[in-house]
Protein backbone atom coordinates (compact mmCIF):
# COMPACT_ATOMS: atom_id res chain seq x y z
CA UNK A 1 0.00 0.00 0.00
CA UNK A 2 2.83 2.41 0.83
CA UNK A 3 3.04 5.90 2.27
CA UNK A 4 0.10 8.25 1.72
CA UNK A 5 -0.10 12.02 1.31
CA UNK A 6 -3.52 13.67 1.62
CA UNK A 7 -3.91 17.12 0.04
CA UNK A 8 -6.99 19.06 1.13
CA UNK A 9 -8.68 21.86 -0.81
CA UNK A 10 -11.79 23.87 -0.02
CA UNK A 11 -13.99 21.21 -1.62
CA UNK A 12 -13.08 18.96 1.30
CA UNK A 13 -14.53 21.45 3.80
CA UNK A 14 -17.60 21.90 1.58
CA UNK A 15 -18.11 18.13 1.47
CA UNK A 16 -18.17 18.19 5.28
CA UNK A 17 -21.06 20.64 4.98
CA UNK A 18 -19.12 23.70 6.12
CA UNK A 19 -19.91 27.15 4.74
CA UNK A 20 -16.31 28.10 3.97
CA UNK A 21 -16.50 29.10 0.31
CA UNK A 22 -15.64 32.62 -0.86
CA UNK A 23 -19.31 33.04 -1.83
CA UNK A 24 -20.43 32.12 1.71
CA UNK A 25 -17.88 34.56 3.08
CA UNK A 26 -19.13 37.40 0.90
CA UNK A 27 -22.79 36.78 1.71
CA UNK A 28 -22.00 37.05 5.42
CA UNK A 29 -19.55 39.95 5.25
CA UNK A 30 -20.66 42.04 2.28
CA UNK A 31 -21.45 45.04 4.50
CA UNK A 32 -17.73 45.24 5.24
CA UNK A 33 -17.17 46.13 1.59
CA UNK A 34 -20.05 48.51 0.94
CA UNK A 35 -18.12 51.64 1.93
CA UNK A 36 -15.44 50.66 -0.62
CA UNK A 37 -17.89 50.28 -3.48
CA UNK A 38 -16.48 53.36 -5.15
CA UNK A 39 -13.12 51.64 -5.54
CA UNK A 40 -13.00 50.11 -9.00
CA UNK A 41 -11.86 46.61 -7.94
CA UNK A 42 -14.45 46.26 -5.20
CA UNK A 43 -17.21 47.57 -7.46
CA UNK A 44 -16.37 45.01 -10.13
CA UNK A 45 -16.32 42.19 -7.59
CA UNK A 46 -19.80 43.14 -6.38
CA UNK A 47 -21.47 43.89 -9.71
CA UNK A 48 -19.95 41.04 -11.75
CA UNK A 49 -20.07 38.30 -9.11
CA UNK A 50 -16.38 37.37 -8.91
CA UNK A 51 -16.54 36.24 -5.27
CA UNK A 52 -16.74 32.54 -6.11
CA UNK A 53 -13.18 32.83 -7.50
CA UNK A 54 -11.61 35.57 -5.42
CA UNK A 55 -7.98 34.59 -5.99
CA UNK A 56 -8.55 34.22 -9.74
CA UNK A 57 -9.97 37.73 -9.78
CA UNK A 58 -7.01 39.07 -7.79
CA UNK A 59 -4.74 37.49 -10.40
CA UNK A 60 -6.63 39.24 -13.18
CA UNK A 61 -6.25 42.53 -11.32
CA UNK A 62 -2.53 41.94 -10.80
CA UNK A 63 -2.06 41.46 -14.53
CA UNK A 64 -3.81 44.68 -15.46
CA UNK A 65 -3.35 47.10 -12.58
CA UNK A 66 -2.06 50.57 -13.54
CA UNK A 67 0.44 52.19 -11.19
CA UNK A 68 -2.13 54.65 -9.81
CA UNK A 69 -4.35 51.73 -8.68
CA UNK A 70 -1.67 49.67 -6.91
CA UNK A 71 -2.49 51.17 -3.50
CA UNK A 72 -6.19 50.46 -3.99
CA UNK A 73 -5.61 46.84 -4.99
CA UNK A 74 -3.32 46.27 -2.01
CA UNK A 75 -5.94 47.70 0.36
CA UNK A 76 -8.65 45.52 -1.16
CA UNK A 77 -6.43 42.42 -0.74
CA UNK A 78 -5.69 43.23 2.93
CA UNK A 79 -9.39 43.77 3.66
CA UNK A 80 -10.29 40.40 2.06
CA UNK A 81 -7.52 38.55 3.92
CA UNK A 82 -8.41 39.99 7.33
CA UNK A 83 -12.17 39.64 6.88
CA UNK A 84 -11.89 36.00 5.75
CA UNK A 85 -10.03 35.22 8.96
CA UNK A 86 -12.81 36.83 10.99
CA UNK A 87 -15.49 34.93 9.07
CA UNK A 88 -13.82 31.52 9.44
CA UNK A 89 -13.55 32.08 13.20
CA UNK A 90 -17.37 31.90 13.53
CA UNK A 91 -18.50 28.59 15.01
CA UNK A 92 -21.94 28.62 13.37
CA UNK A 93 -20.56 27.91 9.88
CA UNK A 94 -19.27 24.45 10.87
CA UNK A 95 -22.24 22.07 10.83
CA UNK A 96 -20.73 18.70 9.89
CA UNK A 97 -22.32 16.06 7.66
CA UNK A 98 -21.13 12.84 9.31
CA UNK A 99 -22.46 10.76 6.40
CA UNK A 100 -20.11 12.48 3.94
CA UNK A 101 -17.11 11.05 2.09
CA UNK A 102 -14.90 13.65 3.78
CA UNK A 103 -15.94 12.58 7.28
CA UNK A 104 -15.33 8.92 6.50
CA UNK A 105 -11.86 9.74 5.19
CA UNK A 106 -11.03 11.74 8.32
CA UNK A 107 -12.06 8.87 10.56
CA UNK A 108 -9.69 6.52 8.68
CA UNK A 109 -6.53 8.63 8.95
CA UNK A 110 -3.83 7.30 11.23
CA UNK A 111 -0.30 8.06 10.03
CA UNK A 112 -0.79 9.76 6.64
CA UNK A 113 0.93 13.05 5.88
CA UNK A 114 -1.62 15.84 5.46
CA UNK A 115 -1.17 19.07 3.50
CA UNK A 116 -4.00 21.58 3.67
CA UNK A 117 -4.68 24.52 1.38
CA UNK A 118 -7.46 25.47 3.81
CA UNK A 119 -7.09 27.46 7.02
CA UNK A 120 -9.16 25.11 9.16
CA UNK A 121 -8.28 22.06 11.28
CA UNK A 122 -11.05 19.51 10.61
CA UNK A 123 -9.93 17.16 13.39
CA UNK A 124 -10.10 19.94 15.94
CA UNK A 125 -13.48 21.27 14.77
CA UNK A 126 -15.14 17.86 14.59
CA UNK A 127 -13.49 16.50 17.74
CA UNK A 128 -11.55 13.59 16.24
CA UNK A 129 -8.02 12.60 17.25
CA UNK A 130 -5.73 15.35 16.07
CA UNK A 131 -3.00 14.92 13.46
CA UNK A 132 -0.15 17.12 12.27
CA UNK A 133 -1.13 19.19 9.25
CA UNK A 134 1.12 21.25 7.00
CA UNK A 135 -0.82 24.44 6.26
CA UNK A 136 0.59 25.91 3.07
CA UNK A 137 -1.61 29.02 3.34
CA UNK A 138 -1.61 29.51 7.08
CA UNK A 139 -3.59 28.14 10.02
CA UNK A 140 -6.70 29.84 11.39
CA UNK A 141 -5.95 28.75 14.95
CA UNK A 142 -2.56 30.49 14.87
CA UNK A 143 -4.00 33.68 13.39
CA UNK A 144 -2.95 36.58 15.59
CA UNK A 145 -2.90 38.97 12.67
CA UNK A 146 -4.16 38.84 9.10
CA UNK A 147 -0.64 38.04 7.91
CA UNK A 148 -1.08 34.38 8.93
CA UNK A 149 -3.75 34.02 6.22
CA UNK A 150 -2.00 33.64 2.86
CA UNK A 151 -4.47 34.79 0.23
CA UNK A 152 -3.22 35.67 -3.23
CA UNK A 153 -1.80 34.49 -6.53
CA UNK A 154 1.02 32.53 -8.16
CA UNK A 155 4.53 33.76 -8.95
CA UNK A 156 4.01 33.57 -12.74
CA UNK A 157 2.15 36.88 -12.50
CA UNK A 158 5.55 38.58 -12.15
CA UNK A 159 6.30 37.97 -15.81
CA UNK A 160 2.86 39.22 -16.83
CA UNK A 161 3.16 42.64 -15.21
CA UNK A 162 6.53 44.35 -14.68
CA UNK A 163 5.15 46.16 -11.64
CA UNK A 164 5.11 42.95 -9.61
CA UNK A 165 8.87 42.71 -9.71
CA UNK A 166 9.37 46.06 -8.00
CA UNK A 167 6.16 46.98 -6.18
CA UNK A 168 6.14 45.73 -2.57
CA UNK A 169 2.41 46.34 -2.39
CA UNK A 170 1.89 43.81 -5.18
CA UNK A 171 4.74 41.46 -4.35
CA UNK A 172 3.14 40.54 -1.02
CA UNK A 173 0.04 39.23 -2.83
CA UNK A 174 2.12 36.39 -4.31
CA UNK A 175 1.40 33.42 -2.03
CA UNK A 176 4.78 31.71 -2.35
CA UNK A 177 6.73 34.89 -1.59
CA UNK A 178 8.84 34.01 1.47
CA UNK A 179 6.70 30.88 1.97
CA UNK A 180 8.94 27.87 2.57
CA UNK A 181 6.02 25.45 2.87
CA UNK A 182 6.22 24.88 -0.87
CA UNK A 183 9.53 23.02 -0.37
CA UNK A 184 8.02 20.87 2.39
CA UNK A 185 5.03 20.09 0.19
CA UNK A 186 7.25 18.98 -2.70
CA UNK A 187 9.30 16.72 -0.40
CA UNK A 188 6.16 15.06 0.98
CA UNK A 189 4.82 14.49 -2.53
CA UNK A 190 8.13 12.96 -3.58
CA UNK A 191 8.22 10.32 -0.83
CA UNK A 192 4.51 9.41 -1.06
CA UNK A 193 3.38 6.27 -2.86
CA UNK A 194 -0.24 7.43 -2.87
CA UNK A 195 -1.42 11.02 -3.18
CA UNK A 196 -5.06 11.90 -2.53
CA UNK A 197 -5.99 15.36 -3.81
CA UNK A 198 -9.37 16.01 -2.22
CA UNK A 199 -11.52 18.99 -3.18
CA UNK A 200 -8.80 21.09 -4.82
CA UNK A 201 -9.51 22.61 -8.23
CA UNK A 202 -5.78 22.83 -9.11
CA UNK A 203 -6.33 26.43 -10.19
CA UNK A 204 -3.65 28.66 -11.64
CA UNK A 205 -3.16 30.61 -8.40
CA UNK A 206 -1.79 27.43 -6.75
CA UNK A 207 0.25 26.30 -9.75
CA UNK A 208 3.53 27.02 -7.92
CA UNK A 209 2.75 24.01 -5.73
CA UNK A 210 1.32 21.55 -8.25
CA UNK A 211 3.09 22.32 -11.52
CA UNK A 212 6.50 20.86 -10.52
CA UNK A 213 4.86 17.57 -9.51
CA UNK A 214 2.64 17.30 -12.57
CA UNK A 215 5.46 18.27 -14.97
CA UNK A 216 7.60 15.57 -13.37
CA UNK A 217 4.85 13.02 -14.01
CA UNK A 218 4.51 13.91 -17.69
CA UNK A 219 8.28 13.91 -18.17
CA UNK A 220 8.57 10.50 -16.45
CA UNK A 221 10.68 11.86 -13.62
CA UNK A 222 7.88 10.92 -11.22
CA UNK A 223 6.82 7.25 -11.46
CA UNK A 224 5.36 4.40 -9.41
CA UNK A 225 2.68 6.47 -7.69
CA UNK A 226 -1.09 6.43 -7.57
CA UNK A 227 -2.83 9.79 -7.52
CA UNK A 228 -6.50 10.01 -6.59
CA UNK A 229 -8.35 13.09 -7.82
CA UNK A 230 -11.32 13.35 -5.44
CA UNK A 231 -13.82 15.89 -6.75
CA UNK A 232 -17.58 16.44 -6.73
CA UNK A 233 -18.68 15.31 -10.22
CA UNK A 234 -17.87 15.28 -13.94
CA UNK A 235 -18.40 19.03 -14.17
CA UNK A 236 -15.88 19.78 -11.41
CA UNK A 237 -13.42 17.35 -13.04
CA UNK A 238 -13.75 19.30 -16.29
CA UNK A 239 -12.99 22.46 -14.32
CA UNK A 240 -9.79 20.80 -13.08
CA UNK A 241 -8.83 19.85 -16.64
CA UNK A 242 -9.42 23.42 -17.83
CA UNK A 243 -7.41 24.84 -14.92
CA UNK A 244 -4.46 22.56 -15.70
CA UNK A 245 -4.40 23.75 -19.29
CA UNK A 246 -3.91 27.30 -18.01
CA UNK A 247 -0.47 26.36 -16.76
CA UNK A 248 0.47 24.03 -19.56
CA UNK A 249 -0.58 20.63 -18.23
CA UNK A 250 -2.75 18.26 -20.25
CA UNK A 251 -4.91 15.90 -18.18
CA UNK A 252 -4.71 13.40 -21.07
CA UNK A 253 -0.91 13.40 -20.80
CA UNK A 254 -1.21 12.63 -17.09
CA UNK A 255 -3.43 9.64 -17.87
CA UNK A 256 -0.84 8.35 -20.38
CA UNK A 257 2.05 8.65 -17.89
CA UNK A 258 3.63 6.00 -15.67
CA UNK A 259 1.62 7.29 -12.72
CA UNK A 260 -1.77 5.74 -12.01
CA UNK A 261 -4.41 8.51 -12.05
CA UNK A 262 -7.76 7.58 -10.49
CA UNK A 263 -10.89 9.73 -10.21
CA UNK A 264 -13.39 9.61 -7.35
CA UNK A 265 -16.67 11.57 -7.39
CA UNK A 266 -18.03 12.50 -3.96
CA UNK A 267 -21.48 13.27 -5.40
CA UNK A 268 -21.97 9.49 -5.56
CA UNK A 269 -21.61 9.18 -1.79
CA UNK A 270 -19.42 7.24 0.62
CA UNK A 271 -20.74 3.87 -0.57
CA UNK A 272 -19.65 4.43 -4.17
CA UNK A 273 -17.36 1.68 -5.46
CA UNK A 274 -14.53 4.02 -6.48
CA UNK A 275 -14.52 5.74 -3.09
CA UNK A 276 -14.65 2.43 -1.23
CA UNK A 277 -11.79 1.06 -3.32
CA UNK A 278 -9.67 4.08 -2.42
CA UNK A 279 -10.50 3.80 1.28
CA UNK A 280 -9.77 0.06 1.32
CA UNK A 281 -6.66 0.04 -0.88
CA UNK A 282 -4.75 2.98 0.61
CA UNK A 283 -2.81 2.85 3.87
CA UNK A 284 -3.96 5.72 6.04
Amino acid sequence: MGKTLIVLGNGFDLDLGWKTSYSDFYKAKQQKFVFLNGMSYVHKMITEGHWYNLEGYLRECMREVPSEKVEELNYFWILCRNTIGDYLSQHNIYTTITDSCAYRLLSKISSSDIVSFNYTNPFDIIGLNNHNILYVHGCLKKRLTGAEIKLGVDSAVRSLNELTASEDKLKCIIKTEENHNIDKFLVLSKIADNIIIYGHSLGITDSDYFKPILKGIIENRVVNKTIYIVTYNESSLQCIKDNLLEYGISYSDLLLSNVNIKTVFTSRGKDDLDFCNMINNVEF
Side-chain angles (χ1 to χ4, degrees), residues 71-107:
E71 186 89 25
E72 178 183 306
L73 179 57
N74 175 266
Y75 187 78
F76 174 53
W77 165 71
I78 290 173
L79 180 65
C80 289
R81 184 190 65 182
N82 293 351
T83 310
I84 284 173
D86 293 338
Y87 173 70
L88 294 177
S89 298
Q90 299 175 184
H91 297 293
N92 64 335
I93 66 174
Y94 300 105
T95 300
T96 302
I97 301 173
T98 56
D99 198 38
S100 62
C101 294
Y103 188 89
R104 186 177 180 198
L105 178 68
L106 280 180
S107 64

Side-chain angles (χ1 to χ4, degrees), residues 1-247:
M1 289 185 177
K3 191 171 183 59
T4 300
L5 170 65
I6 300 172
V7 181
L8 305 179
N10 185 240
F12 180 81
D13 282 8
L14 299 182
D15 192 35
L16 285 171
W18 298 351
K19 296 185 179 301
T20 57
S21 70
Y22 288 136
S23 296
D24 290 324
F25 150 68
Y26 177 64
K27 288 174 186 176
K29 296 293 185 180
Q30 56 185 302
Q31 290 303 314
K32 290 273 189 179
F33 295 88
V34 168
F35 78 100
L36 293 175
N37 200 14
M39 296 170 67
S40 60
Y41 293 112
V42 180
H43 180 73
K44 191 174 181 181
M45 283 291 290
I46 293 171
T47 58
E48 298 185 16
H50 288 278
W51 289 102
Y52 74 97
N53 184 24
L54 175 56
E55 290 185 324
Y57 177 69
L58 282 170
R59 190 178 199 271
E60 178 186 327
C61 295
M62 288 272 284
R63 294 178 62 178
E64 301 173 355
V65 60
S67 57
E68 67 271 15
K69 293 291 185 178
V70 167
E71 186 89 25
E72 178 183 306
L73 179 57
N74 175 266
Y75 187 78
F76 174 53
W77 165 71
I78 290 173
L79 180 65
C80 289
R81 184 190 65 182
N82 293 351
T83 310
I84 284 173
D86 293 338
Y87 173 70
L88 294 177
S89 298
Q90 299 175 184
H91 297 293
N92 64 335
I93 66 174
Y94 300 105
T95 300
T96 302
I97 301 173
T98 56
D99 198 38
S100 62
C101 294
Y103 188 89
R104 186 177 180 198
L105 178 68
L106 280 180
S107 64
K108 289 276 291 185
I109 295 174
S110 175
S111 59
S112 301
D113 291 318
I114 306 171
V115 172
S116 181
F117 284 76
N118 304 327
Y119 310 113
T120 52
N121 184 329
F123 300 100
D124 188 40
I125 292 172
I126 293 174
L128 297 172
N129 289 332
N130 229 320
H131 297 270
N132 289 328
I133 300 175
L134 174 63
Y135 295 93
V136 294
H137 291 164
C139 176
L140 183 65
K141 196 168 185 178
K142 296 179 180 179
R143 185 182 73 97
L144 298 176
T145 66
E148 175 65 21
I149 301 295
K150 292 176 174 60
L151 171 77
V153 302
D154 55 292
S155 59
V157 176
R158 284 177 171 171
S159 62
L160 300 173
N161 187 334
E162 293 180 1
L163 284 172
T164 57
S166 57
E167 279 282 358
D168 288 341
K169 291 186 181 300
L170 292 180
K171 188 178 176 183
C172 60
I173 304 177
I174 298 173
K175 286 187 285 191
T176 51
E177 193 68 30
E178 298 181 2
N179 181 0
H180 302 295
N181 286 334
I182 185 172
D183 298 326
K184 297 175 184 176
F185 173 55
L186 293 175
V187 169
L188 290 175
S189 67
K190 182 178 180 179
I191 64 176
D193 300 294
N194 304 295
I195 302 176
I196 297 174
I197 302 175
Y198 197 127
H200 200 297
S201 65
L202 304 181
I204 187 69
T205 58
D206 283 325
S207 58
D208 288 338
Y209 301 93
F210 292 103
K211 188 173 181 178
I213 301 168
L214 300 178
K215 277 286 189 184
I217 291 173
I218 291 173
E219 295 168 0
N220 288 321
R221 291 182 286 105
V222 176
V223 296
N224 300 324
K225 291 184 188 294
T226 298
I227 297 181
Y228 294 88
I229 306 292
V230 185
T231 189
Y232 184 66
N233 57 16
E234 290 280 2
S235 178
S236 59
L237 177 61
Q238 185 59 52
C239 180
I240 289 172
K241 294 176 181 179
D242 294 342
N243 287 341
L244 291 177
L245 286 175
E246 278 197 72
Y247 51 99

